[in-house]
Amino acid sequence: MSLDTVFGQVPDPQSYSFPEYALSQGDPVRPVALTADELTTLLDLYETFVRVDPSGVDSNPFFRATSDFLKQTFGTPLQRPDDQLHDDIAAMLNDFSDDLGGAELGVVDATPAHHRTLYFFLTSCKAYHLAPHLRFDPDEAAVQTLYDVYERVTEQEFYLKRPKSVLE
């Protein structure tokens, strides 16, 4: 499958909305089957994704000097817009790795935050790939794996993890 085919399946951000997560008395999760090979593939894709610098802050000496000046003058660092996304993806992959626990196949609990992170990871990969000024050509199989995991999450129903009784 080509990257354009996989990216063509990703819902359009202008019309996409996240489901309502307001479930009372517990933590809403979606249990999803995941293999160690899929997790390794997602980690490799993440490493490729993190190396892309869409803002030019790291690669442009003028931006770097401006960032250092702002940091020294105002005490506020100039952060790349994708830093938070990188942190979110890393946290999600760590959660999945912890849930898998070294097994070859397991069930991971995808939270609403994981669902959003998978979606933004997919759309950001698509944006990086389509941007003419960036060179981001990830492995097609890795992007397909990311989409497959995302699709599994969206197809599952929520259930309450650690449900609380009415008396608590």
Side-chain angles (χ1 to χ4, degrees):
M1 214 177 228
S2 72
L3 286 176
D4 293 334
T5 305
V6 176
F7 287 140
Q9 298 171 348
V10 177
D12 183 13
Q14 294 177 344
S15 63
Y16 190 74
S17 63
F18 293 102
E20 178 60 45
Y21 301 118
L23 295 175
S24 59
Q25 307 299 326
D27 303 325
V29 295
R30 290 175 163 173
V32 178
L34 190 70
T35 66
D37 289 340
E38 287 174 326
L39 182 60
T40 301
T41 302
L42 293 178
L43 287 167
D44 292 343
L45 179 61
Y46 170 72
E47 292 299 325
T48 306
F49 180 77
V50 169
R51 286 194 291 270
V52 176
D53 179 16
S55 64
V57 170
D58 293 335
S59 59
N60 187 321
F62 176 74
F63 286 154
R64 176 58 40 213
T66 303
S67 174
D68 292 343
F69 174 75
L70 288 172
K71 187 174 184 177
Q72 291 172 354
T73 306
F74 300 108
T76 58
L78 180 64
Q79 292 184 319
R80 284 177 38 173
D82 56 351
D83 280 343
Q84 183 60 51
L85 179 60
H86 291 174
D87 293 345
D88 292 346
I89 296 170
M92 175 193 68
L93 293 174
N94 284 332
D95 290 348
F96 285 178
S97 178
D98 292 344
D99 286 352
L100 202 55
E104 285 299 311
L105 174 67
V107 175
V108 299
D109 289 328
T111 66
H114 293 151
H115 177 205
R116 285 189 297 272
T117 301
L118 283 168
Y119 179 74
F120 291 129
F121 190 12
L122 256 174
T123 55
S124 297
C125 283
K126 180 179 180 179
Y128 285 9
H129 178 68
L130 296 177
H133 65 287
L134 298 177
R135 298 202 54 170
F136 181 66
D137 293 317
D139 180 37
E140 292 174 13
V143 174
Q144 182 63 50
T145 300
L146 175 60
Y147 182 78
D148 291 344
V149 171
Y150 162 77
E151 195 172 44
R152 274 185 241 151
V153 169
T154 58
E155 290 174 351
Q156 292 297 320
E157 293 295 325
F158 281 110
Y159 85 98
L160 293 180
K161 184 176 184 177
R162 293 183 288 277
K164 298 174 186 170
S165 73
V166 178
L167 302 175
E168 289 185 47

